Amino acid sequence: ETGVTQSPTHLIKTRGQQVTLRCSSQSGHNTVSWYQQALGQGPQFIFQYYREEENGRGNFPPRFSGLQFPNYSSELNVNALELDDSALYLCASSFTDRNEQFFGPGTRLTVL
Amino acid sequence: QKEVEQDPGPLSVPEGAIVSLNCTYSNSAFQYFMWYRQYSRKGPELLMYTYSSGNKEDGRFTAQVDKSSKYISLFIRDSQPSDSATYLCAGDTGRRALTFGSGTRLQVQP
């Protein structure tokens, strides 16, 4: 069974640029959630996707957007990057009828 | 006030000790509670998952939830140096939008 995978591992961008992060969910999982983890903090919920639609959103501005594909993989897009967007971005997958979420290794984004 | 509070530590214990990690929360709607272990620069790993109040045991790990006092605990028996990591607690209302504490850093000294 393949776990959650994310790409790329690391990314460096400059302020104002746009970035796309990718996630492949664990085999059989149809729900994907994205979290932002700043240094020394716990992860913060960004949004969740189910059946290719956003199914819940945390306190993040619209420049954070996402997609889910028919194979349940997902993308997180961030426009107009700000310095405070520097963080570890985590993807988690789960079954719709279960609450356990399994995280990927994360993508570390640095905004200069 | 954060919805989930954790002492950041670091908590340093000798190998073989019993470790007690704790969180308090303020959201009465939380029904599901999780403990994750996170090694440096890695993604969180699910350790324990409980629903509502009560205890759950899995190997060296025991999770306790007391909804009346909004208090959750994780106990680690016979702690090992490999247990050295940051431990994150999280609550969930059922919508699978986890609310995390900021984590407690544990160091198990050989």
Side-chain angles (χ1 to χ4, degrees):
Chain A
E1 184 181 271
T2 306
V4 179
T5 59
Q6 292 186 243
S7 63
T9 305
H10 298 93
L11 207 50
I12 299 175
K13 292 285 188 178
T14 56
R15 196 169 46 183
Q17 285 189 312
Q18 178 266 342
V19 69
T20 297
L21 311 180
R22 294 178 175 81
C23 169
S24 290
S25 61
Q26 186 166 317
S27 178
H29 287 182
N30 53 11
T31 300
V32 174
S33 302
W34 286 91
Y35 292 80
Q36 179 196 66
Q37 186 176 23
L39 200 61
Q41 301 297 315
Q44 274 196 291
F45 175 72
I46 303 175
F47 45 54
Q48 180 180 102
Y49 276 81
Y50 170 63
R51 288 188 175 179
E52 302 175 47
E53 292 192 358
E54 190 178 290
N55 184 40
R57 188 178 186 94
N59 189 26
F60 281 81
R63 59 189 185 84
F64 286 78
S65 63
L67 284 173
Q68 186 183 32
F69 301 99
N71 66 353
Y72 307 132
S73 66
S74 177
E75 286 183 356
L76 165 66
N77 299 289
V78 187
N79 293 323
L81 284 167
E82 301 177 359
L83 298 179
D84 284 349
D85 295 334
S86 295
L88 181 68
Y89 287 85
L90 296 161
C91 169
S93 71
S94 60
F95 291 109
T96 305
D97 59 347
R98 301 288 298 274
N99 288 80
E100 299 105 313
Q101 293 189 32
F102 298 89
F103 283 83
T107 293
R108 185 161 299 280
L109 172 65
T110 302
V111 182
L112 302 175
Chain B
Q1 183 192 6
K2 291 186 177 181
E3 280 190 275
V4 180
E5 299 273 6
Q6 275 186 271
D7 187 325
L11 175 63
S12 185
V13 301
E15 183 176 353
I18 297 174
V19 176
S20 172
L21 301 167
N22 307 295
C23 290
T24 58
Y25 66 93
S26 58
N27 189 341
S28 300
F30 285 162
Q31 298 182 61
Y32 303 89
F33 303 89
M34 292 127 201
W35 283 95
Y36 285 85
R37 176 173 63 193
Q38 187 173 27
Y39 293 110
S40 181
R41 298 187 170 270
K42 303 291 185 184
E45 173 193 6
L46 181 63
L47 283 178
M48 299 292 285
Y49 164 83
T50 54
Y51 170 68
S52 194
S53 286
N55 294 359
K56 184 174 182 179
E57 188 174 320
D58 185 1
R60 296 186 297 115
F61 299 94
T62 299
Q64 286 185 353
V65 177
D66 183 347
K67 291 188 72 178
S68 63
S69 59
K70 297 189 177 66
Y71 197 82
I72 56 179
S73 302
L74 178 70
F75 298 95
I76 307 174
R77 291 181 296 281
D78 187 24
S79 57
Q80 302 295 310
S82 58
D83 294 328
S84 298
T86 295
Y87 288 79
L88 297 158
C89 62
D92 177 19
T93 61
R95 299 185 63 194
R96 291 187 299 283
L98 302 183
T99 302
F100 283 88
S102 55
T104 299
R105 192 155 59 94
L106 172 66
Q107 297 172 344
V108 181
Q109 307 293 340

